[in-house]
């Protein structure tokens, strides 16, 4: 469905002024849907989700998740298991420096760091450019230029923590939906750049749950009906989820989605005992191409050996001493670039050594934390105003719990989980992970008893650290997030999509980036006639 058609459809729904083919009768009650006199409004002409701009469609299916070759590292953390993945969209490239600096520019403009109340919002979004420093290496030029210099605009952003990658994803969701609503005529044209400041920033959740509070209640921006032409007595004056205008959220892919998308061909996705399975995303066990035209060229950016990050200058180089620009190497059959090499990538999952396929074998994901909107005395959602609350992260950085203009969230309570069979609490991260495994006397030995370092600010604003020096047996905890794929500083072993590692979600590195995914709502099959938004 083109955006022009969405706008026309939205107009017919929002105004409900014509009894045309868009008005149908309910098969349940016989009542009119989209009747010109008002009542229930619904996009009964919806014909499928467009491929979001910059993404490709990945049709879901069954695949063998995990490693089917010998585990030379001896970690046994990726045993093969059969999984099913729902259809989704994924960025064709990693998020680039240009994309991330656009996010930083917006954040700086809307929440100026010159104002004390907003200062930490901008700083919480800044990547850690010091990840390039090396005590026995000259890398200061990268520290000063890699993020912002135009020479690196098409290179994958690094120095971004898992938490920051999620914040970017939420920002991207809101900006895309803001543009969709503007194009459909439900918000003032140009408001997203000309009139937004502080608590007036747009939030998708706020618009859907309390549209009169969007943009801090500024009704010169939020229209009642298309272009403010709602008729008296009309119910559907604001755009709703039922209209099909609001996009699903951008997010980090799950580990299962990422591995499925990297295992490119059907023959590679399902393990065959006779034929085996090719190792790398380009469908072979070789790191160089056999094509007559480009025979011998590297197929990914990785470390060939000690002191060899790019090969010998000339035809045999992989063109990258560090990272390379996205799309420097051929895409896989899905149209995804750099699913091996360049940078490793954050995925959504909390790390555990085993995948509990017996518990769930569809859209597998470990990391669910369930929240709900805070409801105020007036029965509507509470929206964050200028009073921004911050959390002190273990690395000493401050991060806002929610941004001005967003809906306040809280953990689900007993009333939400009572007698439920599918989930029993607000946090499912440690569900069925085998943590308490040995009882010694009256004490219970824990499998995942990693160090519990803490950071806090005292009354004078000085940062103090508390380092945990107790005896520990593991680095795994609920903040350990999976990273997938090899990078420019990894050997070829890590280019296999089945390999998996973890680092702390608050940490950043010079070899880890990310890309976004989005669940495809509706039909599993891809609609080849739908083009990406642009």
């Amino acid at each position: 469905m083109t955006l022009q058609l969405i706008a026309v459809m939205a107009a017919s729904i929002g105004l409900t002024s014509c009894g045309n083919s868009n008005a149908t009768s309910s098969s349940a009650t016989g009542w009119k849907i989209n009747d010109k006199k008002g009542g229930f409004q619904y996009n009964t002409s919806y014909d499928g989700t467009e491929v979001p701009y910059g993404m490709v469609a990945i049709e879901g299916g069954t695949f063998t998740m995990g490693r089917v070759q010998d585990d030379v590292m001896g970690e046994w953390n990726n045993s093969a298991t059969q999984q099913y993945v729902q259809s989704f969209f994924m960025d064709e490239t990693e998020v680039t420096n240009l994309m991330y600096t656009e996010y930083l520019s917006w954040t700086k403009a809307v929440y100026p760091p010159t104002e004390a109340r907003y200062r930490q919002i901008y700083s919480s979004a800044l990547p850690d450019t010091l990840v390039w420093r090396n005590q026995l290496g000259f890398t200061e030029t990268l520290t000063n230029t890699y993020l912002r210099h135009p020479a690196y605009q098409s290179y994958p952003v690094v120095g971004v923590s898992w938490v920051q990658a999620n914040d970017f994803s939420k920002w991207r969701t809101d900006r895309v939906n803001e543009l969709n609503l503007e194009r459909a005529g439900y918000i003032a044209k140009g408001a997203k750049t000309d009139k937004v400041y502080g608590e007036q920033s747009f939030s998708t959740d706020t618009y859907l749950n309390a549209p009169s509070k969007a943009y801090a209640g500024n009704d010169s921006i939020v229209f009642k009906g298309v272009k403010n032409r709602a008729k008296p007595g009309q119910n559907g004056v604001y755009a709703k989820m039922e209209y099909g205008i609001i996009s699903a959220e951008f997010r980090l892919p799950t580990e299962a989605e990422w591995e499925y998308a990297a295992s490119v061909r059907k023959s590679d996705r399902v393990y065959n005992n006779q034929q085996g399975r090719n190792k790398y995303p380009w469908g072979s066990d070789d790191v160089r191409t056999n094509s007559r035209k480009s025979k011998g060229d590297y197929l990914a950016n990785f470390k060939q050996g000690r002191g060899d990050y790019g090969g010998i200058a000339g035809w045999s180089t992989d063109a990258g001493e560090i990272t390379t620009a996205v799309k420097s190497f051929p895409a896989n059959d899905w149209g995804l670039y750099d699913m091996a090499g360049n940078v490793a990538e954050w995925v959504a999952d909390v790390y555990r050594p085993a995948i509990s396929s017996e518990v769930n074998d569809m859209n597998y994901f470990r990391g669910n934390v369930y929240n709900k909107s805070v409801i105020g005395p007036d029965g509507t959602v509470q929206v964050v105003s200028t009073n921004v609350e911050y959390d002190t992260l273990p690395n000493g950085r401050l991060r806002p719990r929610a941004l001005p203009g967003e809906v306040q969230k809280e953990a689900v309570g007993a009333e939400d989980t009572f007698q439920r069979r599918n989930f029993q609490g607000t946090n499912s991260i440690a569900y069925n992970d085998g943590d308490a495994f040995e009882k010694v006397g009256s004490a219970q030995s824990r499998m995942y008893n990693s160090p519990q370092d803490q950071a806090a600010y005292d009354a004078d604003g000085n940062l103090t650290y508390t380092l945990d020096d107790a005896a520990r047996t593991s680095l795994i905890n609920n903040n350990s997030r999976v990273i997938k794929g090899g990078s420019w500083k990894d050997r070829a072993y890590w280019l296999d999509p089945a390999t998996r590692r973890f680092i702390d979600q608050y940490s950043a590195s010079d070899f880890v980036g990310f890309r976004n995914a989005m669940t495809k709502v509706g039909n599993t099959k891809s609609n080849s006639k739908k083009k990406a938004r642009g």
Side-chain angles (χ1 to χ4, degrees):
M1 180 180 295
T2 64
L3 287 172
Q4 291 80 7
L5 181 57
I6 287 178
V8 173
M9 174 277 299
S12 64
I13 291 177
L15 297 176
T16 61
S17 60
C18 55
N20 57 19
S21 59
N22 197 42
T24 59
S25 297
S26 166
S27 58
T29 63
W31 288 31
K32 290 285 187 181
I33 299 174
N34 304 325
D35 188 86
K36 62 181 179 180
K37 296 182 179 180
F40 181 52
Q41 309 298 314
Y42 200 93
N43 180 9
T44 56
S45 301
Y46 188 77
D47 64 350
T49 307
E50 285 185 327
V51 179
Y53 183 76
M55 289 187 154
V56 298
I58 310 293
E59 185 177 325
T62 300
F63 81 115
T64 301
M65 181 178 178
R67 191 172 179 82
V68 296
Q69 292 89 8
D70 290 338
D71 191 342
V72 298
M73 300 292 286
E75 293 182 323
W76 303 109
N77 66 349
N78 51 7
S79 298
T81 176
Q82 184 162 293
Q83 295 285 337
Y84 190 91
V85 173
Q86 185 181 359
S87 294
F88 62 101
F89 304 112
M90 181 177 274
D91 279 338
E92 62 176 352
T93 72
E94 294 121 349
V95 171
T96 64
N97 286 318
L98 177 61
M99 296 162 67
Y100 201 88
T101 50
E102 180 187 9
Y103 163 52
L104 293 177
S105 176
W106 181 94
T107 303
K108 190 173 186 178
V110 176
Y111 306 114
T114 53
E115 295 191 27
R117 57 179 175 165
Y118 295 145
R119 185 169 299 132
Q120 299 302 330
I121 294 178
Y122 178 66
S123 63
S124 70
L126 288 171
D128 182 5
T129 58
L130 300 184
V131 295
W132 288 110
R133 281 187 173 168
N134 187 316
Q135 294 182 91
L136 291 178
F138 182 75
T139 52
E140 283 304 290
T141 302
L142 291 172
T143 299
N144 297 326
T145 63
Y146 182 82
L147 174 64
R148 298 184 185 275
H149 196 287
Y152 294 114
Q153 62 180 297
S154 297
Y155 285 56
V157 67
V158 297
V160 175
S161 70
W162 181 91
V163 171
Q164 290 175 312
N166 278 275
D167 290 343
F168 171 90
S169 305
K170 193 174 189 307
W171 167 83
R172 184 178 180 184
T173 301
D174 289 338
R175 303 291 74 75
V176 168
N177 283 326
E178 193 173 22
L179 179 61
N180 290 346
L181 289 169
E182 180 190 287
R183 287 176 169 174
Y186 281 96
I187 62 175
K189 189 173 182 180
K192 65 183 185 298
T193 54
D194 299 337
K195 304 177 182 179
V196 175
Y197 173 77
E199 62 270 23
Q200 287 195 359
S201 63
F202 174 83
S203 166
T204 302
D205 278 350
T206 302
Y207 185 88
L208 287 175
N209 291 284
S212 62
K213 295 184 178 182
Y215 292 101
N218 188 340
D219 57 10
S220 69
I221 297 178
V222 185
F223 291 164
K224 293 183 178 180
V226 178
K227 298 182 180 178
N228 250 354
R229 296 173 183 169
K231 290 192 173 183
Q234 180 182 335
N235 290 337
V237 295
Y238 299 107
K240 300 178 180 179
M241 183 65 74
E242 292 89 337
Y243 295 2
I245 298 173
I246 302 296
S247 166
E249 72 276 7
F250 292 86
R251 54 177 175 78
L252 291 180
T254 66
E255 181 179 5
E257 287 174 333
W258 194 98
E259 190 170 326
Y260 178 85
S263 302
V264 54
R265 302 182 305 185
K266 289 183 178 179
S267 59
D268 292 334
R269 282 180 274 170
V270 179
Y271 180 67
N272 184 300
N273 288 330
Q274 284 73 44
Q275 297 178 353
R277 187 173 75 180
N278 291 319
K279 183 185 298 184
Y280 300 122
W282 43 84
S284 77
D285 291 340
D286 299 319
V287 295
R288 296 176 183 265
T289 177
N290 289 319
S291 169
R292 291 184 61 184
K293 185 177 181 180
S294 55
K295 190 175 181 65
D297 286 354
Y298 283 109
L299 290 164
N301 177 19
F302 66 100
K303 181 179 179 180
Q304 284 79 45
R306 178 172 292 276
D308 186 358
Y309 289 86
I312 301 172
W315 69 270
S316 65
T317 182
D318 68 7
E321 300 93 346
I322 52 166
T323 56
T324 54
V326 297
K327 298 186 178 181
S328 294
F329 298 91
N332 69 11
D333 284 358
W334 289 118
L336 300 172
Y337 293 88
D338 294 321
M339 294 301 283
N342 214 17
V343 290
E345 299 180 16
W346 289 112
V347 295
D349 296 58
V350 172
Y351 177 85
R352 291 295 188 267
I355 302 295
S356 301
S357 58
E358 294 182 0
V359 176
N360 180 43
D361 57 4
M362 179 176 179
N363 289 347
Y364 185 87
F365 169 66
R366 180 180 290 280
N368 282 311
V369 176
Y370 305 107
N371 296 310
K372 62 181 179 181
S373 301
V374 176
I375 305 300
D378 60 353
T380 62
V381 296
Q382 293 277 75
V383 178
V384 179
S385 57
T386 56
N387 185 23
V388 183
E389 296 182 342
Y390 294 89
D391 289 322
T392 303
L393 304 182
N395 60 3
R397 299 186 72 164
L398 294 176
R399 177 175 179 262
R401 294 179 181 177
L403 297 177
E406 293 182 349
V407 175
Q408 292 185 9
K409 299 291 184 179
E410 62 182 356
V412 298
E415 69 278 9
D416 303 298
T417 61
F418 180 64
Q419 289 192 340
R420 286 193 177 273
R421 302 180 66 182
N422 54 330
F423 73 100
Q424 287 76 45
T426 183
N427 190 321
S428 299
I429 289 176
Y431 177 71
N432 199 48
D433 68 350
D435 190 6
F437 73 106
E438 182 182 358
K439 192 169 185 179
V440 181
S442 60
Q444 203 166 37
S445 177
R446 310 292 298 188
M447 184 183 300
Y448 306 117
N449 61 342
S450 62
Q452 304 296 316
D453 299 335
Q454 295 181 343
Y457 288 90
D458 60 22
D460 297 325
N462 299 313
L463 181 64
T464 59
Y465 286 100
T466 302
L467 299 179
D468 182 0
D469 58 359
R472 300 294 184 180
T473 60
S474 173
L475 293 176
I476 301 172
N477 58 33
N478 289 348
N479 298 328
S480 303
R481 298 288 174 170
V482 178
I483 57 173
K484 299 286 283 184
S487 75
W488 63 273
K489 64 189 309 183
D490 289 316
R491 301 292 184 92
Y493 169 83
W494 295 106
L495 303 184
D496 184 342
T499 56
R500 53 201 304 261
R501 296 172 283 178
F502 70 92
I503 58 177
D504 189 89
Q505 66 183 20
Y506 304 115
S507 299
S509 174
D510 61 354
F511 71 93
V512 179
F514 71 100
R515 72 180 77 208
N516 281 150
M518 176 191 290
T519 300
K520 184 181 185 298
V521 296
N523 192 354
T524 297
K525 289 288 186 180
S526 299
N527 189 341
S528 60
K529 295 181 180 180
K530 293 200 173 292
K531 299 181 179 179
R533 291 178 179 175

